[in-house]
Amino acid sequence: MKAWFLARTQSEQLSLAVLGVFVLCYSLLMGVLGPLADARDEALQQNARALEVKQRVNAMVAEINGLRGKDSAAGPKTTLMNLINQASQAEGLPIARLQPSSNGELQVRFEGVVFNDVAQFLHALEIEQGVIVREVNLSQSDVGMVAATIRLAQGG
């Protein structure tokens, strides 16, 4: 190969050398840029798939929010304090103390009330209104009467 190259004229040798450098540079670029282009194309496809998934999830979220909106449109959402006041009035239970806490819970205190009324009060809140009963402390105050301290939280 060397003998063949040296047999050429100086201008042919220069042309062959320049051509060799271009072929070498082209080979290196294609060896590097080809895989990079393939990786870029794969990343674009993954992004397109992720965008499709995101759009489907957003559609599902909108549907869920729409369904929740229908539920809340059926009746105004009442606060935990309103639910407690309504349930205690319905059962005829006078509230001795109603104390809110920093985490959104309420502590209700009844004194000298009938146990069955307290049980009905808890049933109305937990089963019918979805309020979460966190803690119930009962102590007997008089014969057939109890004092109750109840910690309640807003349900879902």
Side-chain angles (χ1 to χ4, degrees), residues 68-88:
R68 284 184 182 166
K70 288 178 184 174
D71 291 342
S72 64
K77 189 168 182 163
T78 58
T79 64
L80 180 59
M81 192 172 295
N82 289 342
L83 291 174
I84 291 170
N85 285 330
Q86 290 170 0
S88 68

Side-chain angles (χ1 to χ4, degrees), residues 109-113 115 137-148:
R109 173 83 177 162
F110 299 109
E111 295 179 2
V113 294
F115 172 78
N137 291 317
L138 296 170
S139 60
Q140 185 174 354
S141 60
D142 290 331
V143 177
M145 305 296 259
V146 294

Side-chain angles (χ1 to χ4, degrees), residues 120-141:
Q120 283 297 109
F121 168 79
L122 291 173
H123 179 270
L125 286 175
E126 187 172 33
I127 303 301
E128 297 171 10
Q129 299 296 331
V131 172
I132 299 168
V133 178
R134 296 274 189 218
E135 183 180 340
V136 176
N137 291 317
L138 296 170
S139 60
Q140 185 174 354
S141 60

